[in-house]
Amino acid sequence: MTISLALEQLLNGIQLGVMLFLMSAGLTLIFGVMGLINLAHGSLYMVGAFACAAVAALTGSFWLGLVASLACAAAAGAIVELLVIRRLYDRDHLDQVLATFALILIFSEGTRWLFGSFPLYLDIPPLLQGAVALPGDATYPVYRLAIIAVGALVALGLYLLIGKTRLGMRIRAGESDREMIGALGVDIRTLYTLVFALGSALAGLAGAIVGPLQSVQVGMGEPVLILAFVVIVIGGIGSIKGALIGALLVGITDTLGRLLLPQLLTLFMDPSQAGMIGGAAASMLIYVVMAVILSVKPRGLFPPAHA
Amino acid sequence: MVLTRENAVNLTLAVLLLAVPLAASALGQPFYITLATRIAILALAALGLNLALGLGGMVSFGHAAFFGIGGYAAGILASHALSGEPLLFDLSGTAQMPIIWLVAVIAAGLVALAIGALSLRTSGVYFIMITLAFAQMVYYFAISWPAYGGEDGLSIAVRNQFPGTNTMRPLNFFFVAYAVLLAGIGLFALIRASRFGAALVATRQNEIRVAALGIDPYRIRLAGFVISAMITALAGALYADLNRFVSPSMLAWHMSGELIVLIILGGTGRLFGPLAGAALYVAFEFALGGLTERWQFFLGLILLGVVLFARGGLLGLLAGKTKHG
């Protein structure tokens, strides 16, 4: 194995991590502020991807598609919040799980109804085509680097939004004491809808930017949703910092594990067996990491102070 | 047993489930026998989960793992019995259901012990997400392990045997599944009435009081979780035999979601809730599936309606509210 291959896989891991961060930031924010577990977050990711692919196919512009994905996911999130989610805030987690599971069924079949069962494809926008050189004769696609940049920008934006603005102050206040900020005259229902729409928009963005790397199809949100769960469990539910660190940890562990474990095992056994066992073990690696972290810190790396 | 309204509803359900396949057999409609068998097996799987979820308040979103482990136990043992290759060292496979069930239950129990020991250190949302994640781990393992079919799954050429009956006949296999379901319901009732069951229910209601009484809530929960997984695994072994096929889809998280749905449709924590839920679910699937291939869309709407507006499920509707719990 060469240095350039390792570097390339490391970048892939960071890119996966960044995408997971966009998903888990919304998920953890919604849980932190409203105490709601939202299984349908993966559906909003799918909505973003489909909106981007459909608008890009219609107008020929990826950038318009990107705008559409943000708008559609945020709108879908707001509608779902107004119709269903707001009835669930004072229910127990079991009801929340079931109702959002029902939403997944509705979203998935609804999308299949609208777009059919065949996957859609998105092209990488011309501006971001091509590759940059890495040390050691390797190249790396510009588009994947752009995803990493988007993730870094979103992380910075969220940090500023939550740490420095009035809205962010209210979100933080909502995390520490819901009833009190309602009593202080903040319109808590609108705040909840806003937070939910923001989280949905982030999920939609994640779906849209991943669209060109894989096919856009029904059910694409579910594997990502489960990885995002692993991320926020590792990071501590409710913590955006935890989501960022957890996402990068999961992204890099998963990508490098798939590369390194089979190679490591060839030291002990013949290559075909090492490939088989290494592949199976690598697919379980992030869950093992999660188990180890939980056995040391059952509430994740950065548990919210008040919970 | 006092003939309360709930007991009357329960008895009706049990008799109906027996009557449908008998009538179907007499009328030469074997399809309905398979449908009833499916109901009995899914009810058994949900019954297992109901022990953890309904009695112990542990919302496990990972019971598909145990269902699938049961299924793979049946598939793997049967494939070794057919090929004659030893499974491990000198142990050979088997096509005998009782042995398969034993292996399925023990295997799932061991996995549940490991998963539960870790997951039960947490509670609430963490528990939901962690059980989901561990089940997903088992799922990805099944997909990437090529020896037993990987993503394609594993067929069971001939349905496994039960001593004294020809299980290839649909009605006979239904009787086996029905008997196991009744035994499962009996076990659930025994557990619920026992000291252990009382402690399990108490851990859901007030953990601190349980601890103050000198009972360790963690150990009670873990025991409940393991027993729950074992019952679900037994259902998994039967399910594999029903379809004569086992694939990673039995381990998929949709399955875990469906098992919870069955319990909620029927009524959480109720003795016959899983059976009522499974019957309702299979009936939905059959009736809606006949009308539109988009039946899951409508299932979603119905489920949403039940969660938002009809908390007690079918049994809550038919037999009234539970007195406590």
Side-chain angles (χ1 to χ4, degrees):
Chain A
M1 190 182 57
T2 59
I3 298 293
S4 61
L5 180 63
L7 187 62
E8 188 186 332
Q9 291 301 319
L10 184 64
L11 283 170
N12 279 343
I14 295 174
Q15 180 253 307
L16 176 62
V18 157
M19 201 271 296
L20 287 176
F21 169 66
L22 291 181
M23 279 293 281
S24 36
L27 211 53
T28 206
L29 197 63
I30 288 167
F31 183 80
V33 179
M34 285 96 99
L36 178 100
I37 170 171
N38 179 23
L39 294 184
H41 209 66
S43 298
L44 297 159
Y45 170 90
M46 178 185 74
V47 166
F50 270 92
C52 186
V55 171
L58 212 65
T59 63
S61 160
F62 176 80
W63 305 106
L64 282 177
L66 205 57
V67 174
S69 75
L70 283 169
C72 283
I79 292 171
V80 164
E81 201 274 344
L82 288 171
L83 289 179
V84 178
I85 303 286
R86 72 171 29 175
R87 297 170 203 275
L88 297 172
Y89 293 137
D90 43 10
R91 296 290 195 86
D92 60 21
H93 294 312
L94 177 59
D95 283 3
Q96 299 176 346
V97 163
L98 278 164
T100 52
F101 183 72
L103 284 176
I104 294 181
L105 296 179
I106 296 172
F107 267 112
S108 292
E109 282 305 324
T111 310
R112 202 169 279 149
W113 223 333
L114 278 174
F115 291 95
S117 296
F118 293 102
L120 304 181
Y121 294 94
L122 255 174
D123 287 326
I124 295 175
L127 185 65
L128 298 176
Q129 280 170 3
V132 289
L134 289 184
D137 293 338
T139 58
Y140 197 75
V142 175
Y143 187 73
R144 285 178 184 265
L145 287 178
I147 293 182
I148 297 176
V150 168
L153 279 177
V154 169
L156 183 68
L158 274 178
Y159 169 74
L160 291 176
L161 175 77
I162 289 177
K164 308 286 178 196
T165 66
R166 190 161 195 87
L167 176 65
M169 197 166 73
R170 288 183 172 163
I171 291 176
R172 277 179 290 138
E175 277 181 329
S176 41
D177 195 330
R178 263 169 257 170
E179 275 144 41
M180 186 53 96
I181 92 154
L184 287 173
V186 174
D187 181 357
I188 192 98
R189 292 165 77 91
T190 314
L191 180 70
Y192 283 0
T193 312
L194 267 177
V195 170
F196 201 85
L198 174 67
S200 307
L202 288 177
L205 176 66
I209 61 177
V210 169
L213 298 179
Q214 55 177 61
S215 58
V216 173
Q217 56 188 335
V218 173
M220 66 186 286
E222 291 163 14
V224 183
L225 174 80
I226 289 161
L227 286 182
F229 278 166
V230 173
V231 165
I232 67 177
V233 163
I234 288 178
I237 306 181
S239 161
I240 294 199
K241 184 168 90 177
L244 180 60
I245 289 167
L248 290 174
L249 186 66
V250 167
I252 293 171
T253 308
D254 191 50
T255 313
L256 289 188
R258 282 173 206 279
L259 177 73
L260 296 179
L261 267 183
Q263 302 211 354
L264 196 66
L265 287 176
T266 47
L267 299 176
F268 307 105
M269 51 187 82
D270 67 273
S272 71
Q273 236 188 344
M276 182 172 113
I277 296 176
S283 68
M284 297 166 69
L285 192 60
I286 52 168
Y287 303 101
V288 175
V289 169
M290 179 185 80
V292 169
I293 288 178
L294 283 177
S295 53
V296 185
K297 303 192 84 169
R299 302 194 66 85
L301 293 175
F302 301 95
H306 56 83
Chain B
M1 193 169 74
V2 196
L3 195 70
T4 59
R5 193 163 141 211
E6 176 157 359
N7 284 341
V9 172
N10 291 349
L11 198 64
T12 317
L13 275 172
V15 171
L16 264 181
L17 182 62
L18 185 62
V20 167
L22 285 176
S25 173
L27 297 171
Q29 297 278 353
F31 174 71
Y32 291 94
I33 304 176
T34 308
L35 221 53
T37 316
R38 207 172 120 77
I39 291 177
I41 294 171
L42 286 177
L44 182 68
L47 181 97
L49 177 59
N50 203 19
L51 195 76
L53 193 151
L55 297 189
M58 295 173 269
V59 184
S60 164
F61 210 137
H63 260 53
F66 311 125
F67 193 61
I69 286 171
Y72 270 98
I76 290 172
L77 286 173
S79 82
H80 279 280
L82 192 71
S83 68
E85 283 173 33
L87 184 65
L88 266 179
F89 312 113
D90 281 342
L91 288 172
S92 63
T94 175
Q96 290 299 324
M97 282 189 193
I99 302 174
I100 288 173
W101 295 346
L102 194 68
V103 172
V105 163
I106 291 173
L110 290 176
V111 175
L113 193 64
I115 292 181
L118 274 168
S119 314
L120 285 167
R121 291 166 54 90
T122 66
S123 61
V125 183
Y126 280 89
F127 182 77
I128 299 174
M129 292 187 188
I130 292 164
T131 46
L132 173 59
F134 279 128
Q136 211 58 17
M137 178 175 102
V138 178
Y139 172 75
Y140 283 122
F141 180 78
I143 280 193
S144 52
W145 187 259
Y148 296 106
E151 215 164 338
D152 298 330
L154 188 63
S155 331
I156 301 173
V158 182
R159 185 172 287 153
N160 294 307
Q161 298 141 19
F162 192 84
T165 168
N166 175 10
T167 53
M168 280 310 276
R169 291 187 52 207
L171 195 61
N172 292 2
F173 184 61
F174 168 79
F175 287 139
V176 171
Y178 186 73
V180 175
L181 172 67
L182 287 189
I185 291 176
L187 180 69
F188 186 94
L190 274 179
I191 288 178
R192 194 169 62 169
S194 68
R195 288 169 58 89
F196 166 71
L200 187 62
V201 172
T203 59
R204 184 192 73 208
Q205 291 167 337
N206 195 330
E207 185 177 345
I208 296 165
R209 282 196 193 168
V210 172
L213 287 170
I215 303 169
D216 182 1
Y218 177 81
R219 293 174 62 175
I220 293 286
R221 284 206 181 103
L222 187 56
F225 188 77
V226 170
I227 298 172
S228 153
M230 287 172 153
I231 298 176
T232 302
L234 181 56
L238 283 167
Y239 196 71
D241 262 327
L242 171 67
N243 300 323
R244 283 191 278 144
F245 178 63
V246 48
S247 76
S249 71
M250 271 180 81
L251 295 156
W253 76 294
H254 262 269
M255 195 67 230
S256 299
E258 272 172 34
L259 291 180
I260 300 182
V261 169
L262 297 182
I263 292 180
I264 303 305
L265 282 181
T268 321
R270 301 234 181 183
L271 187 57
F272 276 68
L275 176 54
L280 201 61
Y281 184 86
V282 172
F284 274 152
E285 187 184 36
F286 178 63
L288 287 174
L291 291 175
T292 161
E293 55 179 312
R294 303 278 173 250
W295 67 277
Q296 292 224 336
F297 183 84
F298 298 98
L299 178 72
L301 287 180
I302 292 169
L303 180 60
L304 203 55
V306 171
V307 176
L308 291 180
F309 306 113
R311 295 295 320 283
L314 184 64
L315 283 186
L317 218 61
L318 293 176
K321 290 198 165 82
T322 39
K323 282 189 244 23
H324 53 78

